[in-house]
Amino acid sequence: MLVLVQVHDLFKEVEGMKKIMVLVLSVSLAFLGIGAELTFYYVPHTGASDPFWAVQKLGWETACRLLGVKGIFVAPTVFSIEEQVNMLESAIAAHPDGIATTISSDTAFDAPLTRARELGIPVIAVNIEDYTPPYVPYIAYIGQDEFIVGEVLAKRVLSEFTPKRAVIGIHQPGLTCLELRAEGILRVFRDRGIPIEKIDVTPYPTQAVEIMKAYLARYPDTEVIFTLGPLGAHAAIDLVKEQGLEGKVRLATCDVSPQILDAIRDNLMICAIAQQPFMQGFLAAVWLYLYVEYGFLPPAKMPTGPTVIDKSNLGLAEKQVQTTGGL
Amino acid sequence: MKAFVKTDVLKVGQRHFPSIGILVSLAIIMIIFGIITPKFFKLDTLAGILTITAELAVVCVPMALLLISGELDLSVGSNFAFAGVLGALLLNRQVNGLLTLVAVILFGILIGIINGLLTTKLRLPSFIVTLGSMFTLRGLLLVVTGGFPISFRGQNVLLWLLNGKLIGEIRMSFIWLVFVVVCFHFILNKTRHGNWSLGCGGNADVAQALGIPVSRVKLFNFLLVGAMAAFGGMLSFARFGMAYPTLGEGMELEAIASAVLGGCALTGGFGTIFGASLGALLIASLRVGLVLVGAPAYWYRAFIGIILIIGIVINKEVMRRLVGGGQ
């Protein structure tokens, strides 16, 4: 009996010592900064209200969860450079371990990102890079060259047939990445002497359909409608279906959604350019982690596109849409 | 004597047709578009204009009644989007079409009641209250959808009843437009509530002193705006079978602009339902007309702004001459 009591006391002592040891270890680790949760911010120019950015957000959050870091995604509800810069400055003030952002303006990011560099916060540009010197200080760019996206899209359409006329429906005029895509398309078509112009279709589906319809009424020889994202593409698909324009007006777009894949399958759409937004958000977190935790130096540019999605690779594209929500 | 007769005739005209100002503006703009391109008066074009008008008018018409009673609602755009998403979610869960519509409108009514109670009972400015609910609803919308559009791919007679094709390019939304305008015209001009709304907006203290239940009148108008914004959202969803979290952004300003263009005083106490609906028609005509006449793409928004100002100037000038007579 006495032995039992002694064993019990010994156990209690060991338990108590274990607790103290754990406490001491935790305090030491915290003091050394080892095991503390890393915090990364992602501050793009628009937020999850755009399906494309919802996929980016999902990629970012998935990577942060897998890496065990705190990933904070903050973005303006609708495209706003001013709001984005304000949010970026707030993120810098929080002094996180790393920041990912989109360079949605040539000039607005110089001051905040210079300050981030002075504070030792690594910044990765995602989706939109800085196109004009002097370049904003960031350690790497993950995404695609938007001008090339436009060129690739236009050339893929021209490999199918030579239209008499084409139009580009832009749903957010003034947004650098969309403007560059449009410029790429315009360059290829104008070089071939095919009439083409941009129209502001707005992000509202009813207005977009009626605006495109009015354009077709003015220029009935229009054979291709380019759109620069799902908001415009969905409206263009509805227009072609509603007006029975299948085979008369062909579509081509940037970025992918389930509706866009259906349109490719149904021959309404020639192709779509994918830049794999899930991968952009995902890789941003991964590269910040590799940089901060292990000192890896990322390559200056890490392309995630442009990838042409057409009937030939529809199956694989569908898998990505099913698993990530977009492509 | 001649001047007297002219003034007298105009005053009679104004009394019987107070929307003459906006009608003149609309006629001038439509004639200009018609002269530049005869395609403007084609049936298909007019049907497209009416389709845009319908979605805007079902929101701006009740907004006009609310403005007349001295309040405004900035949450209509968010309510509009939430309604579409809610409708899509319910239909995807096999909820009966009619029940879905009722549930969506009840949700809109709830938003209207919350806005109304906060404004009237706590005596808060409706601008702030509805700005708050605008952000809250938009945020909730992102939480519910995760930023992705919600689509409904099934068939439902409700969708056709709301916004299916009626004859040619004319849609069912045109019928709803007429119905809503007639109902609200009746409410404003033939009911005690309409008269009280004018009284509340003219001078709320005097109205209260005269025994008009000011809070109840305003609350009911908020309720109507909430219900109709939700109905408008269902109209948009019904056409595309898809509800976007971005839907309706900026609609609050277009709705207020339409009502003011139509002669509603921002300070309350004056305005007409017919005028507000003509204001919506003017905005829709500009959207389509500028594309048809081949206005440079990026000038659209500037043109719309300029023409809106000109429209208001014409409207005010016509009204001044009518109301002021020989002044």
Side-chain angles (χ1 to χ4, degrees):
Chain A
M1 185 64 188
L2 185 65
V3 175
L4 279 177
V5 170
Q6 279 178 337
V7 169
H8 181 251
D9 286 348
L10 187 66
F11 265 112
K12 273 175 74 178
E13 233 176 84
V14 170
E15 279 299 315
M17 279 183 72
K18 266 171 72 181
K19 277 181 189 168
I20 291 166
M21 280 175 69
V22 167
L23 186 67
V24 169
L25 194 65
S26 304
V27 171
S28 311
L29 288 175
F31 184 72
L32 292 170
I34 299 167
E37 193 182 46
L38 293 173
T39 303
F40 297 148
Y41 275 80
Y42 191 0
V43 191
H45 55 271
T46 188
S49 58
D50 183 327
F52 176 85
W53 285 97
V55 179
Q56 283 257 2
K57 183 170 178 276
L58 192 64
W60 166 261
E61 287 171 348
T62 304
C64 289
R65 196 174 54 250
L66 291 173
L67 295 167
V69 301
K70 189 174 174 187
I72 299 166
F73 184 98
V74 282
T77 318
V78 288
F79 169 56
S80 164
I81 294 168
E82 194 184 354
E83 224 180 308
Q84 183 193 5
V85 170
N86 290 340
M87 288 173 167
L88 187 63
E89 279 170 349
S90 303
I92 293 166
H95 212 295
D97 299 289
I99 294 175
T101 190
T102 55
I103 312 298
S104 55
S105 156
D106 293 341
T107 51
F109 292 83
D110 290 338
L113 294 196
T114 303
R115 185 170 141 69
R117 185 174 59 183
E118 285 164 3
L119 291 169
I121 304 168
V123 176
I124 286 184
V126 188
N127 189 253
I128 311 173
E129 61 181 316
D130 191 5
Y131 291 97
T132 49
Y135 295 108
V136 173
Y138 51 77
I139 59 170
Y141 169 66
I142 299 170
Q144 60 183 359
D145 185 313
E146 302 294 354
F147 186 82
I148 294 173
V149 168
E151 285 188 326
V152 169
L153 184 65
K155 284 174 182 167
R156 175 65 186 83
V157 168
L158 291 178
S159 73
E160 198 85 4
F161 76 116
T162 305
K164 290 192 193 90
R165 173 183 283 276
V167 64
I168 305 169
I170 181 165
H171 60 275
Q172 277 181 337
L175 181 57
T176 310
C177 60
L178 301 188
E179 296 291 356
L180 284 167
R181 288 174 188 179
E183 281 305 308
I185 299 168
L186 288 169
R187 167 79 63 85
V188 172
F189 268 59
R190 283 176 180 163
D191 284 352
R192 293 278 294 268
I194 302 166
I196 184 165
E197 63 182 304
K198 286 189 283 188
I199 55 169
D200 171 8
V201 293
T202 81
Y204 314 117
T206 302
Q207 294 195 19
V209 168
E210 300 306 333
I211 287 168
M212 287 190 265
K213 198 157 79 180
Y215 186 86
L216 294 182
R218 180 172 171 82
Y219 299 109
D221 57 339
T222 306
E223 290 181 312
V224 173
I225 299 176
F226 287 101
T227 46
L228 306 174
L231 285 174
H234 294 169
I237 294 166
D238 281 313
L239 171 74
V240 169
K241 285 182 182 169
E242 280 179 7
Q243 300 296 307
L245 296 170
E246 293 93 340
K248 291 178 200 154
V249 175
R250 308 287 302 278
L251 307 175
T253 194
C254 303
D255 305 331
V256 180
S257 70
Q259 289 74 20
I260 289 170
L261 293 182
D262 286 347
I264 292 173
R265 190 183 304 102
D266 298 341
N267 278 327
L268 301 178
M269 191 166 275
I270 297 168
C271 64
I273 296 290
Q275 58 171 312
Q276 312 189 91
F278 184 93
M279 186 160 48
Q280 290 181 2
F282 193 94
L283 286 182
V286 169
W287 270 106
L288 282 174
Y289 186 80
L290 291 173
Y291 184 89
V292 173
E293 280 291 275
Y294 302 106
F296 275 97
L297 291 166
K301 287 193 182 193
M302 287 173 278
T304 60
T307 306
V308 177
I309 306 294
D310 55 20
K311 272 197 157 179
S312 67
N313 54 12
L314 209 51
L316 202 59
E318 278 171 336
K319 183 182 178 184
Q320 196 179 133
V321 170
Q322 280 161 14
T323 51
T324 69
L327 180 130
Chain B
M1 183 65 187
K2 198 177 173 185
F4 170 77
V5 171
K6 186 183 165 193
T7 305
D8 202 41
V9 168
L10 288 173
K11 277 186 174 173
V12 169
Q14 190 273 332
R15 189 164 65 242
H16 289 289
F17 200 71
S19 306
I20 187 83
I22 178 68
L23 199 65
V24 170
S25 309
L26 183 65
I28 291 172
I29 285 165
M30 287 184 120
I31 289 167
I32 291 172
F33 281 140
I35 291 168
I36 298 173
T37 170
K39 284 176 184 164
F40 185 81
F41 286 115
K42 273 182 71 181
L43 213 59
D44 285 2
T45 308
L46 295 175
I49 291 170
L50 286 174
T51 304
I52 298 178
T53 307
E55 275 182 26
L56 184 56
V58 295
V59 179
C60 89
V61 158
M63 181 75 93
L65 187 61
L66 186 64
L67 281 173
I68 287 167
S69 66
E71 303 292 347
L72 55 80
D73 187 345
L74 296 177
S75 68
V76 286
S78 303
N79 192 346
F80 183 91
F82 214 109
V85 167
L86 188 59
L89 289 172
L90 291 174
L91 286 178
N92 278 330
R93 280 164 182 69
Q94 319 296 330
V95 176
N96 172 277
L98 189 63
L99 275 179
T100 298
L101 184 63
V102 170
V104 167
I105 290 176
L106 282 176
F107 178 80
I109 287 174
L110 178 71
I111 301 302
I113 288 175
I114 292 170
N115 284 337
L117 284 176
L118 287 172
T119 303
T120 56
K121 299 297 173 196
L122 299 182
R123 295 187 177 279
L124 298 171
S126 55
F127 179 88
I128 297 299
V129 168
T130 57
L131 189 68
S133 49
M134 174 179 103
F135 286 130
T136 308
L137 277 175
R138 193 62 74 178
L140 285 174
L141 201 55
L142 293 177
V143 172
V144 170
T145 62
F148 292 98
I150 310 279
S151 52
F152 171 71
R153 294 185 179 221
Q155 296 291 320
N156 196 303
V157 70
L158 171 78
L159 303 185
W160 180 82
L161 276 174
L162 287 175
N163 210 352
K165 274 194 177 175
L166 188 64
I167 308 160
E169 291 300 312
I170 296 175
R171 296 185 162 271
M172 284 297 290
S173 58
F174 172 66
I175 304 291
W176 293 111
L177 164 71
V178 173
F179 179 72
V180 167
V181 171
V182 169
C183 284
F184 276 81
H185 179 82
F186 181 80
I187 291 173
L188 181 63
N189 297 296
K190 304 289 178 192
T191 69
R192 198 170 57 174
H193 177 79
N195 203 16
W196 283 354
S197 293
L198 285 161
C200 292
N203 190 324
D205 292 334
V206 172
Q208 190 85 51
L210 288 172
I212 295 174
V214 173
S215 294
R216 211 175 69 201
V217 170
K218 290 185 175 184
L219 180 64
F220 188 65
N221 287 344
F222 271 110
L223 180 155
L224 289 174
V225 171
M228 294 313 297
F231 184 71
M234 281 300 284
L235 284 187
S236 175
F237 163 67
R239 178 169 182 187
F240 299 103
M242 187 176 277
Y244 297 85
T246 47
L247 213 62
E249 272 168 359
M251 171 175 256
E252 54 283 341
L253 296 180
E254 276 199 346
I256 292 169
S258 305
V260 173
L261 260 174
C264 287
L266 266 175
T267 46
F270 186 79
T272 69
I273 296 303
F274 191 57
S277 58
L278 290 179
L281 182 60
L282 177 61
I283 287 181
S285 303
L286 288 174
R287 279 272 182 221
V288 173
L290 286 172
V291 180
L292 271 179
V293 299
Y298 283 19
W299 280 91
Y300 290 160
R301 291 177 199 216
F303 277 141
I304 285 176
I306 292 165
I307 292 170
L308 284 181
I309 292 169
I310 293 171
I312 287 189
V313 170
I314 294 172
N315 188 3
K316 289 288 172 196
E317 185 59 21
V318 171
M319 293 307 286
R320 190 186 64 78
R321 284 172 185 239
L322 292 177
V323 177
Q327 282 175 18

